[in-house]
Amino acid sequence: MFDLLSRLARYLTRRLLPLQVIEHGAWTIKRPGALLLCCNHHRGLPDALVMACLLPAGGSLLFPPGEKLRFGWLFRLLGVRPVAATADWEKTLRTLLQQGGRVATWWEYRPWHCSGTPPPRPKPLENLPWLAFQEEAALQPIHLRYGIHGSRFRPWRPLHRNGTLYANLFPPTPDPLGFTALAATPSRELLISRLETTLEQLRFTAGFHPRSLWENLLHSPLTSRQPLIADSTGLQLTGKQLIHRSIVLAILLRRHTPPGNAIGVLLPTSGAAVLVFFALQSLGRLPALLNFTLGSATLAACARQARLSVLVTSRRFVAQAKLEETLATLGREFPVLYLEDLKKSLSNRELLLSLYWSKRPKAWYRRSVPQSDPHQPAVLLFTSGSEGNPKAVQLSHANLLANCVQMGSRVSFGPGESLFNALPLFHSFGLTVCTLAPLFSGMRLFLHTSPLDFHNLPGLVFSSQATILAGTDTFLARWGRYARPADFQSLRLVFAGAEPLREETERLWHHQFGLRILQGYGATETSPVLAVNSPDRNLPGSVGPLLPGLAARLEPVPGLNHGGRLLVSGPNIMRGYLRDDGDHGLEIDDSGLAWYDTGDVAVFEEGGFLRLLGRVKRFAKVAGEMVSLGAIEELAHRVWPEGRHAALAHPDASRGEVVILVTECRDALLTQLLAAGREEGWGPVQLPRRLLFRAEIPSNGTGKIDYPALGKWLATDHP
């Protein structure tokens, strides 16, 4: 009788909870022998009920230490025995597993989406994988996440209130973490790393649903009362206003933007740029985000490469950025649309039409794009051109969404957080990491037009009360020098990417603001993030483990005995370059998998952390030996931390190539660098042959050193 009542209680619980189980098997996990279910977080009664329904009848539910057991009768009715964790938590768990029991507990006793710095994981939890390995118990990771529309258990109230609680299980094989393939006595760190990697993969599998960017925006937890987007021009937009004004702009742009060809966008980081981007997405148009820091000739070449049909910009921006000559050059080849002129042309009929469609944004998109394909290009971005001419990169909707979910699987952020973005949208770091990912996760977003506004930017971070900041090493170093300690008091996460992070910048932020910078790594062709450190998994000097869903391999580089050339494959890898010669920049293997050659020399360390050794193009072959130009720049930074330095390879008749170091330090002497190198054990071949001074080393729009421009200066003035 009790078994029948227990089955009925489980059935009713599953029906009452808005739960979907994403797995390759039945609802209840049935497996012979000891079984340990390990869930990602404990949010309260809903999560506990889900775990009780997943446990076989007669299992034990081990609650967090110090938590009062409530509704114990309900769990017993479900056929599960609730157990309170005490001081001898490990002994209790060992006893249950030795008896061949089925036990469920939590890996993280805190919500996955949280504001503020997450509390440290309780010490006993560090031993979970170790205990399962020692007791020969099957360890089954489980990931719970709340539906993208929200649910009745979530603390925030998005536009759409009907939600779902998702449970994602690793495929229930006898050994999901591969413990049997490990050595006889693996380290605890290795077991913990395997469990964390598996949970990240589960988060990604549960959260990634390929669809268009516009559809994903409508599925995001957009706030309807508080501003979702604000910028330094004074513009503020709630979630409803973002959708409404995007549709208004789409109605105006539809008359001037024919389908098929790309639409050029020449705008700074602002709310207006975000509106133009999503307006084009709602029309099914392909925006090409142009780098306005390039010269007019290079910018025109990029526009031709993208085959633009029209260019969208703003008169106010053109005047402030002094781009009149550039627009005059582009205007000879491409029609130019100014936002101010479009606004004046808005009629009452179009305004009423936009109000109608803003209440039906899904129907508007189906009307504009009858056949939506998430694998079609969503945006055209151009590489930085720091090592050559910029290339047009085609990124699909699925590429961008996959990268947003991958980052959310590694780093905790969501509604309640606020991100400050001053990076340009024409750079993939500024577009995906600092704009799309925050919006799709429900974060508040503050936009600033220029990262070069070093004097005012720290104060804007303070006034916006941002909790997350991202930038390049160059920008972070200069922001830190101009900031007061109180300016960054609201920040809890700071990310660096696009260029190597210097120890000097890390020390500045740690000592002056009490913040550790988390370094990441990526490329425009990968949407862009490939790896990133997190507060829980951070190895200084590395760029973090690869994001979930990615595969990588290292190919040997002639002349290098350590590391290899990094190739990656995954859902965030680009569709290919937009080129007439058919070279899409991807390598297709026998299984049909597309691999992208990053051109970086890297090595994987224990725990899966990726460490970069330099770019293949950034090595000089001196007297038959491969010399890293990046390592020479790091040595120069240690000797003269107050300036920027750039190392270049120069042809030499006797040695093949020699290294020339260009520095911004006027008092720098080559003898000082040679002495420092000898102290660190460097050989004579590894050190630069000449030292040149330049007052300001050229940079591109993302803060990277412009090596082609520097090479032209070197060839012209110092042959």
Side-chain angles (χ1 to χ4, degrees):
M1 182 65 182
F2 183 79
D3 290 343
L4 181 61
L5 189 62
S6 176
R7 292 179 183 178
L8 178 62
R10 287 196 174 214
Y11 173 78
L12 292 176
T13 303
R14 295 170 187 170
R15 296 290 295 179
L16 291 174
L17 282 174
L19 177 69
Q20 291 183 9
V21 179
I22 308 170
E23 60 161 325
H24 302 282
W27 242 90
T28 303
I29 301 177
K30 297 179 180 180
R31 187 179 292 159
L35 172 65
L36 177 59
L37 300 185
C38 181
C39 188
N40 59 313
H41 68 68
H42 179 54
R43 196 185 289 264
L45 181 62
D47 289 359
L49 291 176
V50 172
M51 296 297 289
C53 291
L54 292 176
L55 267 174
S60 302
L61 193 60
L62 188 60
F63 279 88
E67 181 170 332
K68 295 181 180 180
L69 291 183
R70 299 174 180 174
F71 303 98
W73 60 270
L74 179 57
F75 295 108
R76 295 187 187 94
L77 186 61
L78 295 173
V80 174
R81 180 164 63 101
V83 179
T86 58
D88 55 350
W89 175 87
E90 291 189 28
K91 183 178 179 181
T92 304
L93 182 57
R94 284 183 184 274
T95 302
L96 293 171
L97 293 177
Q98 287 171 359
Q99 295 173 355
R102 277 80 163 160
V103 187
T105 189
W106 288 268
W107 173 242
E108 298 169 341
Y109 291 158
R110 61 188 189 274
W112 173 242
H113 288 304
C114 57
S115 296
T117 304
R121 184 179 291 118
K123 268 297 178 186
L125 294 186
E126 299 289 353
N127 291 330
L128 265 182
W130 182 252
L131 287 175
F133 179 78
Q134 287 186 319
E135 302 302 331
E136 298 181 352
L139 183 60
Q140 178 70 65
I142 297 174
H143 170 65
L144 296 183
R145 75 176 182 94
Y146 288 90
I148 207 159
H149 289 314
S151 91
R152 68 193 73 174
F153 306 111
R154 290 176 75 164
W156 56 86
R157 300 180 69 84
L159 292 178
H160 307 280
R161 298 179 183 178
N162 298 325
T164 306
L165 181 67
Y166 295 94
N168 185 278
L169 282 65
F170 198 81
T173 58
D175 187 19
L177 295 185
F179 281 174
T180 56
L182 296 177
T185 55
S187 64
R188 298 190 184 195
E189 290 74 16
L190 177 59
L191 297 179
I192 292 172
S193 175
R194 284 213 171 187
L195 179 58
E196 289 180 330
T197 301
T198 303
L199 286 172
E200 286 180 359
Q201 182 63 44
L202 292 178
R203 295 184 192 115
F204 172 69
T205 305
F208 179 46
H209 303 283
R211 52 182 158 225
S212 71
L213 296 181
W214 179 258
E215 291 172 317
N216 201 74
L217 180 69
L218 301 182
H219 282 77
S220 302
L222 306 177
T223 58
S224 57
R225 296 180 181 177
Q226 295 182 348
L228 181 71
I229 296 178
D231 64 16
S232 52
T233 66
L235 177 66
Q236 291 189 347
L237 298 170
T238 64
K240 285 184 177 179
Q241 290 172 336
L242 172 62
I243 294 174
H244 175 220
R245 297 194 186 184
S246 296
I247 292 178
V248 171
L249 197 53
I251 292 174
L252 296 175
L253 288 171
R254 182 173 53 181
R255 298 177 301 188
H256 307 280
T257 56
N261 291 346
I263 310 301
V265 178
L266 197 69
L267 291 170
T269 304
S270 60
V274 175
L275 287 173
V276 170
F277 180 82
F278 280 110
L280 294 174
Q281 295 297 333
S282 74
L283 289 172
R285 306 293 194 263
L286 177 63
L289 306 185
L290 300 176
N291 184 350
F292 47 80
T293 64
L294 301 174
S296 58
T298 306
L299 197 58
C302 292
R304 295 188 205 100
Q305 186 180 358
R307 307 184 188 98
L308 298 186
S309 61
V310 68
L311 179 64
V312 180
T313 186
S314 164
R315 294 186 186 275
R316 180 182 176 186
F317 167 64
V318 171
Q320 290 179 345
K322 300 179 180 179
L323 297 174
E324 292 86 353
E325 294 184 5
T326 301
L327 261 295
T329 303
L330 293 174
R332 299 189 191 103
E333 300 184 49
F334 310 99
V336 179
L337 288 177
Y338 292 98
L339 294 180
E340 293 85 351
D341 299 341
L342 288 175
K343 183 178 180 181
K344 293 177 181 178
S345 66
L346 179 64
S347 64
N348 292 332
R349 177 183 174 277
E350 290 172 328
L351 182 59
L352 292 174
L353 198 62
S354 67
L355 289 172
Y356 172 81
W357 287 117
S358 64
K359 301 295 183 181
R360 299 163 179 81
K362 293 183 180 179
W364 162 260
Y365 185 70
R366 287 195 300 268
R367 183 173 180 270
S368 303
V369 188
Q371 295 181 345
S372 175
D373 184 0
H375 299 288
Q376 288 299 312
V379 66
L380 276 183
L381 296 178
F382 293 86
T383 57
S384 60
S386 57
E387 296 178 357
N389 294 325
K391 291 174 285 189
V393 178
Q394 301 179 90
L395 296 177
S396 69
H397 301 266
N399 291 153
L400 297 169
L401 291 181
N403 207 228
C404 292
V405 177
Q406 286 171 323
M407 289 183 292
S409 302
R410 171 67 51 81
V411 182
S412 169
F413 54 75
E417 301 281 4
S418 176
L419 186 142
F420 188 97
N421 177 26
L423 298 180
L425 297 185
F426 58 71
H427 192 264
S428 55
F429 193 8
L431 176 65
T432 307
V433 179
C434 300
T435 303
L436 296 182
L439 288 178
F440 293 155
S441 60
M443 296 170 56
R444 290 183 294 113
L445 181 62
F446 189 92
L447 302 166
H448 187 49
T449 53
S450 174
L452 302 176
D453 188 9
F454 305 124
H455 292 86
N456 298 322
L457 190 142
L460 291 173
V461 174
F462 174 80
S463 61
S464 67
Q465 288 296 290
T467 58
I468 301 176
L469 178 68
T472 65
D473 174 83
T474 302
F475 294 149
L476 289 172
R478 299 193 180 185
W479 296 342
R481 294 193 191 103
Y482 285 93
R484 300 169 301 172
D487 287 337
F488 298 143
Q489 53 85 23
S490 62
L491 295 177
R492 76 173 185 93
L493 292 174
V494 181
F495 294 97
E499 61 179 344
L501 180 65
R502 294 176 295 167
E503 294 181 5
E504 176 198 359
T505 307
E506 286 187 284
R507 286 195 300 268
L508 171 66
W509 279 76
H510 180 61
H511 293 307
Q512 188 165 342
F513 310 113
L515 294 167
R516 291 195 178 276
I517 301 176
L518 302 174
Q519 188 175 7
Y521 161 67
T524 304
E525 292 86 348
T526 60
S527 304
V529 186
L530 287 172
V532 66
N533 285 291
S534 67
D536 289 336
R537 303 180 69 185
N538 184 22
L539 180 63
S542 77
V543 294
L546 286 177
L547 292 178
L550 283 169
R553 73 173 194 260
L554 297 177
E555 292 189 349
V557 178
L560 289 179
N561 299 323
H562 185 57
R565 192 179 187 123
L566 178 65
L567 282 81
V568 291
S569 179
N572 57 315
I573 305 302
M574 65 173 179
R575 284 175 51 90
Y577 296 123
L578 185 64
R579 300 178 63 165
D580 295 328
D581 57 6
D583 182 12
H584 298 302
L586 297 175
E587 175 187 323
I588 310 299
D589 61 14
D590 296 336
S591 62
L593 206 60
W595 292 84
Y596 168 66
D597 185 354
T598 64
D600 290 307
V601 179
V603 62
F604 285 98
E605 300 183 346
E606 186 177 0
F609 287 90
L610 181 67
R611 189 178 296 272
L612 301 179
L613 305 180
R615 292 193 60 78
V616 175
K617 294 182 179 179
R618 298 283 296 142
F619 279 82
K621 197 164 188 178
V622 182
E625 183 175 342
M626 300 294 285
V627 177
S628 172
L629 301 178
I632 293 176
E633 292 173 351
E634 292 177 4
L635 175 64
H637 283 303
R638 291 194 292 270
V639 178
W640 307 297
E642 64 277 5
R644 302 181 76 193
H645 317 278
L648 294 93
H650 193 68
D652 183 77
S654 59
R655 292 191 167 195
E657 287 182 325
V658 294
V659 179
I660 298 177
L661 181 68
V662 183
T663 178
E664 293 178 346
C665 297
R666 187 179 297 273
D667 300 329
L669 297 175
L670 182 60
T671 54
Q672 297 172 329
L673 187 69
L674 297 179
R678 285 193 294 267
E679 289 180 5
E680 296 186 12
W682 291 45
V685 176
Q686 298 173 297
L687 294 168
R689 194 70 177 269
R690 295 172 61 189
L691 182 68
L692 299 176
F693 167 76
R694 177 164 174 163
E696 184 177 359
I697 293 177
S699 303
N700 56 29
T702 59
K704 294 182 181 180
I705 295 176
D706 192 343
Y707 288 104
L710 196 60
K712 292 178 182 177
W713 170 80
L714 187 65
T716 304
D717 298 350
H718 301 275

